Amino acid sequence: MTSTDTTREEAVTSRRTTVAPKPAGTTVPRVPAQLRGRPAQVRVAVYAEDLILQTGVVQQLRQRPEVELLNESEAGRAEVSLLVVDALTETVTEHLRRLRLATTGRIGLVVGHFEAGGLQTIVENGVAAVLRRSEADQDRLVNLITALANGEGVMPGDLLGELLDRIGILQRTMLDGRGLTLSTLTAREAEMLKLVAEGFDTSEIAAKTSYSERTVKNVLHEIITRLGLRNRAHAVGYAMRRGLI
């Protein structure tokens, strides 16, 4: 190989291996999240009184990338549990109680007809967001789910006003004069705790109150959990010290 050939070879090699230095202050552009993989989704379990209601909501949510719909066997992983009903009946209220005890996620209610007085019931049973079915289009459903996942509450304007009025009345007429907090008991909870205090067991309480043994256990568990107590005896002592039973 001649000296000319050697020089030419070195020049070619230099062009292949030399990397131009980055200008000072240059940053590597970030890849958008949607290009790095599927964006984070909210895990949602949908419950309804009948298959038609459930299918309608599921079909709307299935089209949205913000939502991961869970089947029945996966419902325990739900970040948001969405209950779709015609009206707030005793059956629906019981379903809400079971949901509150069975899931660590937050609960939303899509309801057709909402009567006055139902607000206290849904608040007591852990509902943090309400949407009327007449307003439940795809965007509003997703907004409700996203708000719940972010720890926020959603209420129609008239219900929010009613909630604030009720809290004010409760504070003025029931709590201030007795030194109580908002951790009070419903009439059914107080009745069951009284029976516990009198020494009755679960089956006897169920017979006296005409509820199932499972409902009795759920109600007492709810009291203990909500008030941060250890067991039934602790709950009885707590309620008696505060004059709740």
Side-chain angles (χ1 to χ4, degrees):
M1 180 180 295
T2 66
S3 59
T4 300
D5 292 335
T6 301
T7 301
R8 187 176 296 132
E9 180 67 22
E10 290 173 350
V12 171
T13 301
S14 176
R15 285 197 299 271
R16 288 174 178 170
T17 58
T18 300
V19 178
K22 294 180 182 179
T26 300
T27 58
V28 178
R30 297 183 63 183
V31 179
Q34 60 269 31
L35 299 182
R36 295 198 301 267
R38 191 174 66 177
Q41 295 176 305
V42 181
R43 298 188 300 275
V44 178
V46 176
Y47 304 87
E49 289 182 299
D50 59 60
L51 186 59
I52 294 176
L53 288 178
Q54 183 162 8
T55 301
V57 172
V58 167
Q59 287 297 333
Q60 290 198 69
L61 295 179
R62 184 168 286 146
Q63 305 171 40
R64 299 299 293 257
E66 305 97 320
V67 175
E68 177 189 355
L69 288 170
L70 304 179
N71 58 40
E72 186 176 353
S73 64
E74 301 173 314
R77 298 194 302 114
E79 298 170 82
V80 170
S81 295
L82 198 61
L83 181 59
V84 188
V85 299
D86 283 321
L88 189 63
T89 63
E90 180 60 32
T91 300
V92 171
T93 301
E94 190 62 36
H95 194 168
L96 288 172
R97 291 193 186 100
R98 292 197 301 270
L99 273 180
R100 186 176 183 186
L101 296 174
T103 180
T104 58
R106 307 187 77 217
I107 301 173
L109 180 68
V110 180
V111 60
H113 178 64
F114 197 93
E115 293 185 353
L119 184 60
Q120 181 176 342
T121 299
I122 64 171
V123 170
E124 287 175 350
N125 289 284
V127 175
V130 178
L131 182 64
R132 288 191 170 90
R133 278 178 49 201
S134 59
E135 302 171 348
D137 59 25
Q138 190 178 104
D139 288 335
R140 286 192 175 96
L141 283 169
V142 172
N143 288 340
L144 178 141
I145 289 167
T146 303
L148 284 170
N150 290 334
E152 302 168 4
V154 177
M155 288 278 174
D158 59 320
L159 294 187
L160 181 58
E162 182 185 343
L163 175 61
L164 294 175
D165 288 343
R166 284 178 176 271
I167 290 174
I169 293 170
L170 182 64
Q171 184 69 35
R172 290 192 302 272
T173 63
M174 296 182 62
L175 305 182
D176 286 345
R178 300 175 61 192
L180 299 177
T181 69
L182 289 172
S183 298
T184 54
L185 302 174
T186 65
R188 182 169 70 168
E189 290 172 339
E191 179 186 12
M192 291 188 183
L193 271 187
K194 286 178 184 177
L195 293 173
V196 172
E198 293 171 10
F200 293 103
D201 62 21
T202 300
S203 60
E204 292 169 327
I205 294 172
K208 285 181 173 293
T209 59
S210 299
Y211 289 107
S212 67
E213 291 187 30
R214 177 169 182 160
T215 296
V216 172
K217 290 178 181 177
N218 286 343
V219 170
L220 294 174
H221 177 75
E222 162 63 18
I223 298 170
I224 293 167
T225 301
R226 187 176 77 237
L227 301 180
L229 306 174
R230 294 187 298 276
N231 49 42
R232 294 185 181 187
H234 192 190
V236 168
Y238 175 96
M240 293 181 69
R241 285 194 301 273
R242 287 159 177 77
L244 302 179
I245 61 173

